Amino acid sequence: MGRSGIDAHINEQYGVQRAVQECMALFVCKNERKEDLSVSFGEALEALKAGKKLRRAGWNGKGMFVVYQKGYPKGIPCNKQTAEAWGMNEGELFVCNPYLQIRNVNGSHSMWVPSIGDCLAEDWEVVA
């Protein structure tokens, strides 16, 4: 088999593999087999920045998920509680950088920093 024959074989093989992968992805999506849709933290972070809600498959808490908050780069008038905490005047602009926020089991929300285990995990899932 000459070089062009090898290239054609590789292209044909790659095309078949790609078609199978796309077909499997469609099957998984239609059947909502979320365990097959797990991603790394790097991929999860990109999805978060794109506005998706994510969770870890390994989390035991029902209804827990993480979101990306864009913050307030131009500032937001601070309320009394924030003003007192930061030694500011109520209504003064409070500038806040982007951050991650988690929905806790009890429905409350907190700023969130991932653990080393979260960063190295490969079981991140998009929440529908």
Side-chain angles (χ1 to χ4, degrees), residues 8-96:
H9 178 71
I10 290 170
N11 288 335
E12 179 183 329
Q13 186 69 17
Y14 176 75
V16 170
Q17 287 175 338
R18 176 107 177 154
V20 169
Q21 288 171 343
E22 289 174 5
C23 184
M24 288 302 294
L26 181 61
F27 172 81
V28 168
C29 289
K30 287 189 178 238
N31 290 290
E32 299 181 329
R33 290 176 48 208
K34 296 184 186 332
E35 68 273 10
D36 293 339
L37 300 176
S38 296
V39 298
S40 70
F41 182 70
E43 294 166 309
L45 189 55
E46 291 304 313
L48 287 166
K49 287 181 177 180
K52 303 289 184 189
K53 298 176 186 175
L54 277 93
R55 67 173 171 233
R56 296 257 330 262
W59 282 348
N60 294 326
K62 186 175 182 178
M64 292 177 67
F65 60 85
V66 176
V67 297
Y68 173 81
Q69 294 288 2
K70 294 178 183 176
Y72 302 98
K74 294 183 180 181
I76 185 172
C78 64
N79 59 31
K80 183 178 179 182
Q81 179 180 337
T82 302
E84 289 175 359
W86 292 101
M88 300 171 72
N89 297 316
E90 190 173 350
E92 192 175 334
L93 284 184
F94 184 78
V95 176
C96 184

Side-chain angles (χ1 to χ4, degrees), residues 62-65 102-110:
K62 186 175 182 178
M64 292 177 67
F65 60 85
I102 191 167
R103 182 184 185 277
N104 300 304
V105 176
N106 66 2
S108 66
H109 299 90
S110 302

